[in-house]
Amino acid sequence: MNTVPAFLLQFAPRYPSIGMALGRTRTFFLVFLILVGAVAILPYAGFIWPVLDSLKHFTLAPSPAPTCTDVRVTTEQLPHALLGSPTARFRDNIRNDSSYITSWSSAGYSNQFMSYVNMIYLGTITNRIPIIPPFAPSHHIPRSAGIVPFGDIFDLDYMRKELRAPVLEWRDVKELPLRSSKEPYSTREVEDIGCWTTTKDSQNTGTQSETVVQHLGLDVSYTKIPLFTRFPSSKPDEIHVVFPQVAAVIYPEDPLVEPDKLKNLQPSPKGHQRTPDAHLSCFDSLYYATSGAKDWEWQKSWSPAWQNIGRYLPFTQTLKQLGRAYISRAFQFSGSLDNLPPFIAVHIRRGDFIDFIGRCPLVNGMRTNCFTPLSVYAKHVDVIKGKWVTKSNLTISNVIVMSDEQSPAFWDDVQNHGWSFINHTREETVENFGEWFPPIIDTVIQSFAVGLIGTKGSTFSLVGERRVKDWNGGFTSEVDIGTSQ
């Protein structure tokens, strides 16, 4: 898979095959040994000449160089992770000789993505098969938006091959309402299950993720994750949990705790008080999970969840082509969609971030007295342009802006800077694809950029920065909202 834009391929280094080099080395070494041996046995030539004569047709050939296909597996070669096709009840489809893990999330699109990546990572270190839920409405997305399966956005086959392990979606396991269903939160079979809650210790309820749980047809009771799994800090109510400690709680063999001996925190809506399931380990949220080195570690390039899982989740080919089409129209580009010009993306989050800087009055239709002016973003754009000139003598003239700002004056200012933007109203994105797709398409567009200026504190910007850096070798920076930095 090529996740790097076509225009960057010209800068890709070309290294000789290490395998071929090793093959030639072995050949020369064998020839050397034969010559040394011939000299050593010369006095005995009369005895062994017949043997040597028999080797006169022997030739040496270099060892074949290993290829990428030597270590890759196809989806068909993956172990059978289920008993068969989706069933009315998930328990009728999961195997007794396998262990599984799942979670849900009550958050916006980017936070749900991060939470599910954390869940998949936890599955890899606990020998459990991940089962990924769909994206379901919560923050920023209305209930009317319905659900969007994870695999409709991300190329799961690519990740399975990279991990060399099965990764499932809930729609693989259980019969669920389709994405197009008018009643996505009404599933025929509702099953009891006990799960873990990672909410802070003083909180007496689990995270309520009603839409996704209702879609999956689950009636969930919660038990608090043990206190020793918390990130060590001086905070009296730490919200982060640590991957290795959580793994020790749910590992299929020799777990450190016996869930049956723990007190149930919150009964299910229908009243059962099941303790956490051992066969399918489930969590209300894993958004606040960390390796233990630092809290909020998605902010760091070395984040284990990102480096081991997230970076191997490219968008589907369908979405990438859709994103290219949006970029092409924004730039009024008449060339091939596979040959788009390099560009810098700017994500300016305002909306709910107004709470971070206090009251912000409107002046001529713009919140100019509160939010960072576009001139500051322009300085960041120029810095990234300069880095590309220094790195590859690449001149970048295209900039595309994404923002939740509604003021027409703001967008006029964007155009006055000579920048482009995606007009989802004019594109009729919601009408054509649904309420989820304005932010989804924006993230796809970000992933093609060679530079990204984001909004500090926005996970939408943060995940985009990870993709631009690790997929495209690009440069990123952040603007602290409400300041001149």
Side-chain angles (χ1 to χ4, degrees), residues 328-393:
S328 178
R329 290 193 291 272
F331 292 156
Q332 297 181 347
F333 180 68
S334 58
S336 168
L337 293 183
D338 294 324
N339 245 334
L340 293 171
F343 67 93
I344 294 170
V346 180
H347 174 234
I348 304 174
R349 181 166 174 178
R350 292 188 169 182
D352 58 336
F353 270 37
I354 190 173
D355 297 332
F356 292 173
I357 56 177
R359 187 177 179 182
C360 199
L362 288 172
V363 178
N364 296 326
M366 293 183 65
R367 299 183 179 96
T368 52
N369 294 345
C370 298
F371 289 113
T372 306
L374 289 186
S375 58
V376 173
Y377 292 88
K379 292 177 182 178
H380 285 257
V381 168
D382 289 341
V383 169
I384 290 181
K385 286 181 177 181
K387 288 182 177 180
W388 271 110
V389 170
T390 301
K391 178 181 179 180
S392 304
N393 197 28

Side-chain angles (χ1 to χ4, degrees), residues 53-70:
D53 186 59
S54 68
L55 298 176
K56 62 186 179 182
H57 298 297
F58 179 78
T59 58
L60 291 171
S63 300
T67 64
C68 291
T69 55
D70 292 337

Side-chain angles (χ1 to χ4, degrees), residues 104-117 133-143 145-146 148 150 153-154 207-209 211-212 284-288 298 347 349 352-353 435-440 443 457-461 463 467:
W104 11 101
S105 179
S106 177
Y109 165 62
S110 296
N111 288 20
Q112 287 190 43
F113 171 78
M114 294 165 68
S115 185
Y116 295 150
V117 168
F135 290 95
S138 183
H139 298 61
H140 314 301
I141 301 291
R143 185 180 176 91
V148 177
F150 195 89
I153 304 173
F154 300 101
T207 300
Q208 302 305 304
S209 305
T211 51
V212 66
D284 61 346
S285 174
L286 286 168
Y287 174 73
Y288 296 108
W298 268 77
H347 174 234
R349 181 166 174 178
D352 58 336
F353 270 37
E435 293 171 280
W436 275 102
F437 277 80
I440 289 173
T443 59
S458 168
T459 54
F460 191 92
S461 291
V463 178
R467 291 178 179 131

